[in-house]
Amino acid sequence: MSDGGTGIEALISLISRLPGLGPRSARRVVLMLLKKRTTLMAPLAQALSVVAQSARDCTLCGNISTDDMCDICTNTQRRSSGEICVVEDVADLWAMERGMAFQGCYHILGGTLSPLDGIGPEDLRIPDLVVRVEAGDIREVILALSATVDGQTTAHYVAESLEASQVRVTSLAQGVPIGGELDYLDDGTIKAALRARRPLF
Ligand SMILES: [Zn+2]
């Protein structure tokens, strides 16, 4: 390599592992950072270091946060809505938030039930959800899980687990590719799917 310095090469190699970036764009990114060492590179390094050390799962919903509880869970207005939207992962939560259609709280399962991959209920945050619903003033649980077989199996399992609590369980409108694909939907579609939610059983 002609640019000299293994540190810079190592940086390029790390940056190229980010989504949407290959070696060529990584090189451009690093070159730009090097040109803006004080105004961009140093603050970025500082921010990365702070978040790397403090990032953890929200103890209530599983969202990624730099505190024990995330901004959504500490928002009393959202807590008092009595609505919990159940999603598979953080990307889905972020997609829902981007649409600004939902004003309640979330619960991240961490995946879907998948017997073939050996993923059972105890591997997901389903027991936590049951505890949460039974402990709090929850009016409605909205399931926003994938339209895949695993996603729908999980939705039914969650609904059954919540049966004893007598909470209202709904699901986002059918036919909408949600779950893993929630991130690719435009905000209007997410809003429409939320408005058209229906009881699961
Ligand atoms: Zn949270």
Side-chain angles (χ1 to χ4, degrees), residues 86 88 109 111-114 121 124 126 129-130 141-165 167-172 174 178 198-201:
V86 177
E88 287 170 26
L109 292 182
T112 50
L113 293 173
S114 180
L124 305 176
I126 296 175
L129 176 67
V130 175
V141 172
I142 301 153
L143 303 175
L145 304 174
S146 313
T148 59
V149 173
D150 283 348
Q152 292 313 297
T153 305
T154 309
H156 280 83
Y157 183 88
V158 170
E160 272 170 27
S161 306
L162 294 171
E163 220 169 347
S165 68
V167 70
R168 178 175 145 88
V169 180
T170 57
S171 176
L172 288 199
Q174 212 164 20
I178 49 175
R198 55 188 168 67
L200 199 65
F201 291 124

Side-chain angles (χ1 to χ4, degrees), residues 103-120:
Q103 293 306 314
C105 291
Y106 294 92
H107 193 88
I108 296 172
L109 292 182
T112 50
L113 293 173
S114 180
L116 285 177
D117 300 318
I119 300 172

Side-chain angles (χ1 to χ4, degrees), residues 58 61 70 73:
C58 169
C61 74
C70 74
C73 287

Side-chain angles (χ1 to χ4, degrees), residues 50-176:
V50 166
V51 175
Q53 281 174 39
S54 59
R56 65 197 101 157
D57 291 350
C58 169
T59 52
L60 199 57
C61 74
N63 188 13
I64 293 178
S65 172
T66 50
D67 290 302
D68 283 341
M69 232 190 249
C70 74
D71 288 347
I72 297 170
C73 287
T74 49
N75 182 327
T76 47
Q77 214 171 340
R78 299 190 71 150
R79 285 282 282 277
S80 65
S81 74
E83 293 176 351
I84 292 181
C85 180
V86 177
V87 293
E88 287 170 26
D89 59 43
V90 176
D92 297 329
L93 186 157
W94 287 4
M96 291 287 294
E97 283 299 288
R98 202 189 54 215
M100 291 187 298
F102 182 62
Q103 293 306 314
C105 291
Y106 294 92
H107 193 88
I108 296 172
L109 292 182
T112 50
L113 293 173
S114 180
L116 285 177
D117 300 318
I119 300 172
E122 64 286 349
D123 300 311
L124 305 176
R125 299 181 65 252
I126 296 175
D128 294 2
L129 176 67
V130 175
V131 169
R132 224 179 133 182
V133 169
E134 283 172 356
D137 301 317
I138 307 300
R139 288 188 296 108
E140 181 176 351
V141 172
I142 301 153
L143 303 175
L145 304 174
S146 313
T148 59
V149 173
D150 283 348
Q152 292 313 297
T153 305
T154 309
H156 280 83
Y157 183 88
V158 170
E160 272 170 27
S161 306
L162 294 171
E163 220 169 347
S165 68
Q166 295 194 317
V167 70
R168 178 175 145 88
V169 180
T170 57
S171 176
L172 288 199
Q174 212 164 20
V176 177

